[in-house]
Amino acid sequence: NASDVVYKASGGVVAPSRVVPPMAKEVRYMRVFAPNCSSSIDYEELVRSFFKTRRLLNEGDVFCVPLVERTSIYIDAQHHAGNLIYFQVQSIHPHSAGFTTYFVDGTCTFKAESKPTYSYIPVSMDCFLCPPDNECWSCFDPPDMWHDGEPTGLENTVDKIRNLILPSMLQLADSKPLHCNILLTGPVGVGMGTVVKAIARGLNMHLIQADCHEYCCDTAAATETKLRALFSRASQCAPCVLLLSHFEVLGKDRTGLIDEPRIATVVEEKVKELERQCRRWPVIVIAASCNPGAVSVDMHSLFLHEVKMEAPNRHERGDILVSLSSQVPLHNDVSLSELAHQTAVCFASHGVSLPCISRVFVGHGTW
């Protein structure tokens, strides 16, 4: 009930029966910088379509519009960062005395500002507005694990990294920049990508994922050009987390055996540039490697923090299985605790496979 919402927002000062939010006539908005859209697109029709359903907004609110069946808006399919575009409300007219919240619908005049803006985003809304990407979950809701700021069984690592990041998010613009670049290491399939996604989600930041294999070119000059473009893109999408997976392959020559100092110099230059320029809207660089011993010495020295992930213990494996199977009908003789005990050599990625494969073999019946 809209009256109840406004009543709660006002601290109970106005009786809910007497509160009727006014209807806005004009809404000015700005698109929020994001990795998954092009600045050349006209978003006015997209916004107008979204407000065919009446919404309740304040000035300064960030609202998100789903991009289902609008893939032409993506820069490219390989690097799109989600199915939502975010907008921030700059002003609502006319103003009504005593009100900060207004109804907005398709009868309003929508005017987009020419320049996008930076903002933290309600990234957790994607699980409500967008369908699941994974075919295995197409017949029912995806597991809560993927839509949680603290995925089950991986909470300790998430907390550790988040505590390293928070000071850099709270620093003042005129203060000395805080270094928050993290080297994340662990066995293959331990869940490093899941952890970083959860951190970005929990901190309301964009996520840019880059596989370093794609940035290793035949020449150091070509690699340098691609890396400069990547870091430039990250700065434009601040605040964000930049995840560099398979980091150990970066900074090597074509043989993969000899360090390439030129590449390390470029990465160091761009990382320090981000620290200087992105203070109000930080860019957090997290490099992930399953083989930290292969990371060049020059590259390793760029990271003040190193976080090591271990294979999940029996208790953590049990929690992961419970979370992943929460939407799967289990047979009476299935013991998740016994499965956790029998999967001592399995990592988080194996836990994901179990309910998916089981649904295929049993024809979407019980597990």
Side-chain angles (χ1 to χ4, degrees):
N1 185 293
S3 296
D4 290 340
V5 172
V6 179
Y7 175 65
K8 293 177 182 178
S10 66
V13 176
V14 184
S17 60
R18 302 179 62 183
V19 173
V20 180
M23 179 66 67
K25 292 185 179 179
E26 179 181 293
V27 177
R28 292 183 178 270
Y29 64 92
M30 298 177 73
R31 179 176 59 83
V32 176
F33 281 112
N36 62 332
C37 57
S38 170
S39 59
S40 63
I41 300 297
D42 180 6
Y43 295 97
E44 187 169 334
E45 183 58 33
L46 182 66
V47 171
R48 187 178 300 278
S49 176
F50 179 70
F51 282 105
K52 287 180 179 178
T53 300
R54 182 174 294 184
R55 318 280 177 173
L56 203 58
L57 290 178
N58 297 336
E59 289 185 354
D61 279 356
V62 175
F63 64 93
C64 40
V65 179
L67 290 176
V68 179
E69 298 180 356
R70 297 179 184 270
T71 54
S72 61
I73 295 180
Y74 293 148
I75 292 177
D76 55 65
Q78 184 178 8
H79 291 114
H80 79 76
N83 294 322
L84 298 177
I85 293 293
Y86 300 90
F87 301 89
Q88 186 173 55
V89 179
Q90 295 301 109
S91 62
I92 300 177
H93 298 286
H95 285 159
S96 299
F99 288 93
T100 58
T101 304
Y102 299 84
F103 278 125
V104 177
D105 65 13
T107 64
C108 295
T109 299
F110 296 97
K111 295 186 178 180
E113 300 292 339
S114 58
K115 186 178 180 180
T117 188
Y118 297 96
S119 177
Y120 289 96
I121 56 173
V123 68
S124 57
M125 287 300 295
D126 62 358
C127 62
F128 298 100
L129 297 176
C130 300
D133 294 328
N134 194 327
E135 293 180 357
C136 298
W137 309 113
S138 59
C139 296
F140 52 91
D141 294 333
D144 293 338
M145 182 175 179
W146 309 125
H147 297 144
D148 193 350
E150 294 188 2
T152 303
L154 303 173
E155 302 97 326
N156 291 338
T157 304
V158 170
D159 288 341
K160 186 182 298 183
I161 297 178
R162 185 171 51 204
N163 290 336
L164 294 175
I165 293 175
L166 283 174
S168 66
M169 297 177 64
L170 302 174
Q171 64 180 322
L172 300 176
D174 57 351
S175 63
K176 184 178 180 180
L178 297 175
H179 301 278
C180 188
N181 305 308
I182 301 168
L183 179 61
L184 180 61
T185 63
V188 176
V190 77
M192 289 185 284
T194 301
V195 164
V196 176
K197 291 176 184 177
I199 290 168
R201 181 183 301 277
L203 296 178
N204 296 315
M205 302 174 78
H206 295 296
L207 173 64
I208 296 179
Q209 302 179 75
D211 186 341
C212 291
H213 285 290
E214 299 176 7
Y215 293 84
C216 295
C217 304
D218 291 337
T219 65
T223 300
E224 177 182 344
T225 300
K226 295 187 72 171
L227 286 173
R228 288 186 181 278
L230 173 64
F231 279 90
S232 175
R233 179 166 167 252
S235 66
Q236 293 173 0
C237 297
C240 74
V241 176
L242 174 58
L243 171 60
L244 304 174
S245 58
H246 302 107
F247 187 68
E248 67 276 1
V249 305
L250 206 59
K252 303 285 186 179
D253 67 357
R254 283 182 292 180
T255 66
L257 301 175
I258 302 176
D259 293 348
E260 178 55 75
R262 177 175 176 178
I263 303 304
T265 300
V266 171
V267 175
E268 180 180 15
E269 172 194 333
K270 301 307 292 184
V271 166
K272 290 183 177 179
E273 184 178 293
L274 290 177
E275 293 172 350
R276 292 192 306 269
Q277 296 180 355
C278 304
R279 297 194 189 180
R280 182 181 179 186
W281 309 112
V283 175
I284 308 300
V285 180
I286 300 180
S289 175
C290 298
N291 186 10
V295 177
S296 69
V297 176
D298 292 337
M299 288 289 200
H300 201 288
S301 64
L302 300 178
F303 297 90
L304 178 63
H305 307 287
E306 181 175 354
V307 177
K308 298 181 179 180
M309 290 186 65
E310 304 292 341
N313 57 38
R314 178 178 177 177
H315 175 71
E316 291 169 336
R317 291 195 303 274
D319 289 343
I320 291 173
L321 287 173
V322 169
S323 179
L324 291 173
S325 61
S326 61
Q327 302 292 336
V328 180
L330 298 178
H331 197 276
N332 293 334
D333 61 356
V334 173
S335 171
L336 294 180
S337 61
E338 182 63 23
L339 279 173
H341 176 67
Q342 297 294 335
T343 53
V345 296
C346 293
F347 298 143
S349 59
H350 299 118
V352 175
S353 304
L354 286 174
C356 296
I357 295 174
S358 67
R359 289 185 65 82
V360 174
F361 277 101
V362 300
H364 295 240
T366 57
W367 187 25

